[in-house]
């Protein structure tokens, strides 16, 4: 074997100065990494980068951005250093590091939660044994029994069952829809983890995402509900269960599966599950994207898809691609390096037809993770062949080319660099990594708001619902929308809601504040801020929801026009409109004198719609509310709401809110130009 190894190195690396005679491959049981050095090599050219991947093909390596981490056994350190590579020592004792970070799996205490309820979040404090992961998933499924299903997709080489988990929501009214009906409609999201056995965090990330989807759906969280109602989620937490178990019993750095290759007369074990996919399995990039050497860490197998794990996963993907509207998103989670890699890995020439859209969406995700990150994460996005290195037979190329996944990624999680050099992650990092992945998945709403206008209703509503949003502010020019807002919509209207949740490439654009409020409460409100038809005040709710834009606002606006035209307040044209304004306001005042809120005892979207009419809108048409104590007290109650204050801070930071709710009202609007 040593000779085979030597020959390989020579043939791949040419006249390598590396003293290959001293190379040793770790033995396969009870592997110790004591004294192993982790070096981070920064190659000077793309050619050198590819050459390094090949030269260290039998070592544990991990690319991180434009550097390659490599674990060098103590016996080879001197020889390595004599190579004169541009290398930085990351860690001088990998074994000590592995022991120091408590990478021992902790057992799972199922008594911390009641059966049928979600498990304790303390799960994410540490790593866990394989059997506990299976229990954990059973508990997740039990906690969401009507909307979750576990099923077997096949067996690993060592005959472990490979499980997939299906989570689905319910877009129909009043209850659970059959799984069959769901399947005909929805785009599929498929997530894989732990194809590389040592990347333990990747499974924990999809466990956290599944947990949040279930917990959010059960508690009415807008984000989770929108996801589960619009997509069919499938998770494969363990692509490579045999390898995973092996990392916990024998070799923490094990990467491949556990399949021997007796026909090749080799004692080396394992195939790289992320080089065994059929698509372009043996493509020949300029420098190797996998290796035919069964001892290599990126060994591709003897034939495309010849591992039992690949057969199981590929069959599942084929099935999912044919269902609903097909695979919208495929993500293979890896650890680590902070990258969102799109196809292709095997070649950059040509790139996929839809590459611009792919990179646009991947880049959006990268930026969203950064924005959500508590650890200051810094992600890169783009085709693997461009921003990392060539890889053939990988899952993202295959899922895009063969299964039609619109967005097909390898996601290298955080961090970017650490003492583990890309090989092992301190369990102390689990929380920050899983949290930034979930936070990225939130609703993606943007509100376009023309200041001193009714658009302030939308942030108010979103703050009440706890839905995150971006806000873009525009100033009146001098009275109406500026050109950059006018060109966004045929009516040049404000507010505008942009919703990129379902389709980041083609966000939905909606105008009319009443329509936007309806859209948000129905789509993301999950029953909050509205009353259902069964509620005794349902009709009141609808009446007052529509009253502001249907009656109050046009009535006040007519008086404004009459005031502009009339000579004085004795003018009958003014008096006529004034009488109507007073009637409308008296009507609201009566309502609010005997009810806490417009729809009755509950604060609803009707209050959100009406608030601005008596605050900011009075800048255009003054209304003295001194006699209307019902309205004044309601204004005070509403203005005290933290959501109102938060929304006004973001939408109208310069306004004096106290003046807005005072009896005399705010000072008149003065155009800036
Ligand atoms: C898996 O199960 C099959 C059928 O029982 C058996 O032939 C095979 O030897 C088993 N493989 C391993 C690695 O145990
Ligand atoms: C949606 O996600 C955001 C951001 O994490 C969160 O603050 C909010 O509570 C979630 N929405 C709801 C309705 O819970
Ligand atoms: C297998 O490898 C051993 C040791 O390298 C060698 O002696 C033997 O001839 C090989 N057998 C075949 C069939 O190639
Ligand atoms: C990614 O997004 C950032 C911020 O929006 C932008 O500046 C950058 O040009 C984008 N990069 C690509 C490759 O699209
Ligand atoms: C996804 O890809 C399929 C197949 O190429 C295509 O028909 C569909 O329009 C795409 N969907 C989106 C939302 O891009």
């Amino acid at each position: 074997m040593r000779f085979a190894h030597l020959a390989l190195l020579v043939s791949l690396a040419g006249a390598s100065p590396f003293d290959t005679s001293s190379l040793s491959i770790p033995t396969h049981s009870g592997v110790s990494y004591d004294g192993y050095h982790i070096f981070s090599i920064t190659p000077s050219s793309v050619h050198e980068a590819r050459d390094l991947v090949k030269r260290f093909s039998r070592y544990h390596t991990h690319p991180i951005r434009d550097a390659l981490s490599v674990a060098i056994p103590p016996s080879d350190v001197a020889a390595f250093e004599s190579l004169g590579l541009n290398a930085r020592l990351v860690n001088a004792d990998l074994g000590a590091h592995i022991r120091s970070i408590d990478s021992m799996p902790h057992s799972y205490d199922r008594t911390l939660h009641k059966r049928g309820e979600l498990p304790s979040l303390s799960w994410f404090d540490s790593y866990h044994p394989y059997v506990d992961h299976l229990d954990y998933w059973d508990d997740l499924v039990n906690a969401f029994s009507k909307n979750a299903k576990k099923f077997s997709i096949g067996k690993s080489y060592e005959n472990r069952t490979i499980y997939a988990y299906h989570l689905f929501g319910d877009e129909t009214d009043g209850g659970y829809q059959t799984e069959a009906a769901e399947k005909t409609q929805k785009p599929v999201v498929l997530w894989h983890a732990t194809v590389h056995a040592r990347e333990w965090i990747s499974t924990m990330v999809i466990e956290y995402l599944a947990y949040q989807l279930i917990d959010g759906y059960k508690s009415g969280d807008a984000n989770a509900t929108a996801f589960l109602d619009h997509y069919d989620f499938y998770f494969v937490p363990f692509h490579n269960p045999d390898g995973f178990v092996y990392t916990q019993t024998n070799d923490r750095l094990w990467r491949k599966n556990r399949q021997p290759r007796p026909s090749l007369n080799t004692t080396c074990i394992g195939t790289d599950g992320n080089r065994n996919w059929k698509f372009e399995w043996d493509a020949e990039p300029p420098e190797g994207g996998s290796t035919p050497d069964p001892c290599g860490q990126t060994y591709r197998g003897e034939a495309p898809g010849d591992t039992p794990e690949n057969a199981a996963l590929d069959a599942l993907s084929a099935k999912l691609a044919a269902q609903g509207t097909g695979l919208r998103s495929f993500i293979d989670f890896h650890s680590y390096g902070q990258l969102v890699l799109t196809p292709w890995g095997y070649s950059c020439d040509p790139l996929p037809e839809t590459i611009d859209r792919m990179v646009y969406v991947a880049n959006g995700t990268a930026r969203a993770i950064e924005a959500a990150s508590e650890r200051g994460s810094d992600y890169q996005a783009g085709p693997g062949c461009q921003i990392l290195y060539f890889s053939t037979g990988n899952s993202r190329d295959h899922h895009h080319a063969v299964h039609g996944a619109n967005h097909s990624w390898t996601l290298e999680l955080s961090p970017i660099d650490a003492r583990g050099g890309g090989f092992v992650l301190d369990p102390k990092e689990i929380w920050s990594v899983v949290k930034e992945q979930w936070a990225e998945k939130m609703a993606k709403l943007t509100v376009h708001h023309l200041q001193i206008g009714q658009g302030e209703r939308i942030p108010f509503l979103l703050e009440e619902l706890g839905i995150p949003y971006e806000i873009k502010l525009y100033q009146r020019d001098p009275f109406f929308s500026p050109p950059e807002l006018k060109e966004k919509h045929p009516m040049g209207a404000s507010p505008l809601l942009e919703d990129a949740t379902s389709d980041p490439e083609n966000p939905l654009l909606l105008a009319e504040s009443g329509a936007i409020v309806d859209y948000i409460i129905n789509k993301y409100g999950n029953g909050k801020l509205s009353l259902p038809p069964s509620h005794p005040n349902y009709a009141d709710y609808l009446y007052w929801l529509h009253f502001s834009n249907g009656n109050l606002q046009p009535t006040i606006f007519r008086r404004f026009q009459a005031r502009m035209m009339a000579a004085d307040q004795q003018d009958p044209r003014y008096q006529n409109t004034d009488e109507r304004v007073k009637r409308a306001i008296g009507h609201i005042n009566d309502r609010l004198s005997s009810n806490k809120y417009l729809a009755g005892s509950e604060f609803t979207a009707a209050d959100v719609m009406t608030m601005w009419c008596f605050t900011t809108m009075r800048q255009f048409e003054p209304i003295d509310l001194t006699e209307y104590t019902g309205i004044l007290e309601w204004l005070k109650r509403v203005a005290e709401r933290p959501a109102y204050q938060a929304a006004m801070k973001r939408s109208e930071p310069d306004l004096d809110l106290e003046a807005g709710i005072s009896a005399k009202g705010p000072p008149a609007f003065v155009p800036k130009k």
Side-chain angles (χ1 to χ4, degrees):
M1 201 167 82
R2 174 138 316 163
F3 286 129
H5 190 182
L6 173 66
L8 189 89
L9 260 154
V10 169
S11 73
L12 289 177
S16 166
F18 202 13
D19 178 10
T20 51
S21 64
S22 69
L23 290 181
S24 48
I25 299 170
T27 55
H28 285 161
S29 62
V31 176
S32 157
Y33 289 97
D34 288 350
Y36 270 61
H37 283 36
I38 304 176
F39 289 99
S40 171
I41 313 171
T42 304
S44 57
S45 66
V46 175
H47 179 81
E48 190 189 347
R50 293 172 193 153
D51 179 60
L52 288 173
V53 168
K54 283 207 252 173
R55 182 190 298 193
F56 295 102
S57 147
R58 288 189 175 192
Y59 288 76
H60 290 305
T61 60
H62 186 81
I64 296 186
R65 301 287 174 90
D66 46 11
L68 186 73
S69 273
V70 53
I72 301 291
S75 55
D76 298 350
V77 168
F80 177 86
E81 284 173 339
S82 73
L83 293 177
L85 297 169
N86 180 18
R88 172 174 62 87
L89 181 65
V90 175
N91 194 314
D93 191 344
L94 178 55
H97 177 65
I98 291 172
R99 282 190 300 278
S100 76
I101 61 170
D102 183 23
S103 67
M104 287 314 291
H106 287 218
S107 63
Y108 170 45
D109 185 355
R110 291 176 107 173
T111 64
L112 290 176
H113 69 282
K114 281 199 211 129
R115 202 179 150 72
E117 286 179 7
L118 277 169
S120 158
L121 282 167
S122 61
W123 173 262
F124 299 97
D125 295 344
S126 58
Y127 294 124
H128 300 279
Y130 179 66
V131 287
D132 285 6
H133 281 278
L134 297 183
D135 286 347
Y136 185 80
W137 278 97
D138 284 347
D139 291 349
L140 288 180
V141 169
N142 285 335
F144 201 44
S145 54
K146 278 182 151 185
N147 297 62
K149 227 172 132 172
K150 156 184 164 176
F151 57 99
S152 154
I153 59 170
K155 285 200 185 297
S156 68
Y157 173 75
E158 290 176 349
N159 288 328
R160 288 189 177 82
T161 299
I162 300 177
Y163 291 107
Y165 301 85
H166 180 200
L167 298 190
F168 45 96
D170 167 23
E171 223 175 344
T172 59
D173 226 353
Y176 165 68
Q177 191 177 354
T178 63
E179 200 189 352
E182 293 285 321
K183 280 185 180 168
T184 59
Q185 300 158 5
K186 294 185 185 175
V188 172
V189 172
L190 172 63
W191 293 336
H192 287 181
T194 309
V195 52
H196 292 147
R198 63 179 172 237
E199 298 170 9
W200 296 355
I201 181 77
S202 64
T203 291
M204 300 199 74
V205 163
I206 62 175
E207 282 164 351
Y208 189 74
L209 299 177
Y211 180 100
Q212 288 296 340
L213 285 171
I214 296 171
D215 186 40
Y217 200 84
K218 288 176 72 149
S219 61
D221 175 281
N223 310 305
T225 306
F227 275 122
L228 283 173
D229 283 350
H230 294 94
Y231 298 95
D232 240 353
F233 282 87
Y234 289 85
F235 305 134
V236 182
F238 288 100
H239 175 136
N240 176 12
D242 302 346
F244 179 76
V245 169
Y246 195 73
T247 59
Q248 296 194 329
T249 54
N250 295 62
D251 180 354
R252 177 64 185 90
L253 292 202
W254 191 258
R255 168 186 172 100
K256 302 188 284 182
N257 77 351
R258 293 293 306 157
Q259 179 179 8
R261 295 288 180 175
S263 63
L264 298 180
N265 193 22
T266 174
T267 57
C268 287
I269 291 200
T271 300
D272 183 344
N274 203 28
R275 299 293 185 279
N276 189 238
W277 292 87
K278 288 177 186 160
F279 179 71
E280 296 289 351
W281 172 82
D282 60 353
E284 288 189 11
E287 309 283 341
S290 68
T291 177
D293 165 21
C295 299
Q297 289 294 327
T298 56
Y299 176 52
R300 67 188 185 187
E302 287 169 75
D306 70 350
T307 56
E309 296 84 11
N310 187 277
L313 284 155
D314 202 16
L316 172 68
S317 298
K319 200 180 94 189
L320 299 180
Q323 120 186 354
T325 52
L327 275 171
R328 177 67 57 82
S329 162
F330 167 78
I331 306 178
D332 195 356
F333 286 94
H334 286 253
S335 177
Y336 50 74
Q338 299 185 345
L339 297 167
V340 185
L341 302 175
T342 73
W344 307 116
Y346 83 96
S347 166
C348 267
D349 183 22
L351 285 167
E353 247 171 64
T354 53
I355 188 66
D356 292 346
R357 286 154 70 90
M358 287 181 180
V359 173
Y360 177 80
V361 174
N363 189 44
T365 294
R367 302 291 82 86
I369 297 171
E370 289 172 356
S373 176
E374 290 169 3
R375 53 180 304 140
S377 291
D378 162 26
Y379 273 72
Q380 272 181 13
C385 62
Q386 274 173 10
I387 69 170
L388 198 61
Y389 59 98
F390 287 103
S391 68
T392 52
N394 70 63
S395 61
R396 69 179 178 281
D397 287 2
H398 185 86
H399 278 82
H400 177 62
V402 175
H403 300 307
N406 300 80
H407 300 284
S408 186
W409 302 339
T410 302
L411 201 151
E412 290 280 1
L413 296 160
S414 294
I416 186 168
D417 201 3
R419 294 188 31 78
F423 299 114
V424 286
L425 183 68
D426 190 331
K428 287 200 191 87
E429 311 249 11
I430 296 172
W431 269 108
S432 67
V433 173
V434 300
K435 274 164 72 182
E436 70 184 18
Q437 291 300 318
W438 170 247
E440 182 281 316
K441 307 254 172 285
M442 296 303 112
K444 293 175 180 66
L445 303 178
T446 306
V447 179
H448 297 269
H449 169 55
L450 178 63
Q451 288 191 301
I452 319 295
Q454 54 189 307
E456 66 179 53
R457 290 161 165 163
I458 311 307
F460 184 14
L461 184 82
L462 291 167
E463 295 283 348
E464 286 286 349
L465 293 171
I467 299 171
Y469 60 97
E470 296 282 316
I471 187 161
K472 295 220 166 108
L473 301 179
Y474 302 82
Q475 293 200 346
R476 293 178 179 271
D477 179 23
F479 289 103
F480 302 109
S481 296
E484 66 271 22
L485 179 57
K486 274 193 190 131
E487 67 199 23
K488 287 204 157 290
H489 189 273
M491 295 302 292
S494 162
L496 284 177
L497 179 75
E498 218 176 298
D499 184 352
T501 309
S502 306
D503 189 350
E505 305 107 287
N506 301 298
L508 172 141
L509 198 62
L510 183 63
E512 281 304 322
S513 59
I516 296 170
V517 165
D518 238 353
Y519 174 86
I520 293 170
I521 52 184
N522 284 306
K523 194 155 174 164
Y524 300 117
N526 214 42
K528 289 187 210 146
L529 297 192
S530 64
L531 300 182
S534 58
H535 195 286
N537 288 102
Y538 179 57
D540 293 317
Y541 163 70
L542 286 181
Y543 178 73
W544 292 108
L545 178 69
H546 291 282
F547 190 80
S548 56
N549 273 15
N551 188 319
L552 181 64
Q553 243 170 259
T555 303
I556 294 174
F557 187 62
R558 273 198 296 277
R559 190 178 80 175
F560 166 81
Q561 285 177 310
R563 192 159 55 83
M564 294 291 136
M565 291 183 295
D568 58 47
Q569 300 204 343
Q570 305 313 312
D571 188 314
R573 285 174 300 185
Y574 177 82
Q575 286 191 335
N576 185 356
T577 57
D578 184 47
E579 189 268 324
R580 284 171 162 276
V581 167
K582 286 184 174 139
R583 204 190 312 162
I585 295 177
H587 182 48
I588 297 180
N589 191 61
D590 287 349
R591 176 75 187 164
L592 289 172
S593 300
S594 49
N595 291 279
K596 195 167 174 199
Y597 296 109
L598 285 164
S601 57
E602 280 179 56
F603 178 86
T604 66
D607 302 293
V608 172
M609 284 295 288
T610 311
M611 184 67 176
W612 106 278
C613 303
F614 291 116
T615 53
T616 317
M617 195 176 124
R618 284 196 289 161
Q619 291 194 32
F620 298 102
E621 180 62 3
I623 297 169
D624 188 334
L625 292 173
T626 304
E627 285 164 33
Y628 302 100
T629 50
I631 294 180
L632 284 173
E633 275 165 28
W634 169 82
L635 283 174
K636 225 171 137 231
R637 267 198 298 283
V638 177
E640 277 166 4
R641 298 180 75 84
Y644 179 72
Q645 290 170 15
M648 293 306 283
K649 209 165 157 187
R650 288 187 69 183
S651 58
E652 302 287 357
D654 299 332
L655 282 197
D656 175 352
L657 301 190
E658 282 300 319
I661 62 169
S662 67
K664 300 289 177 201
F669 173 74
V670 183
K672 287 236 160 74
K673 292 176 193 170

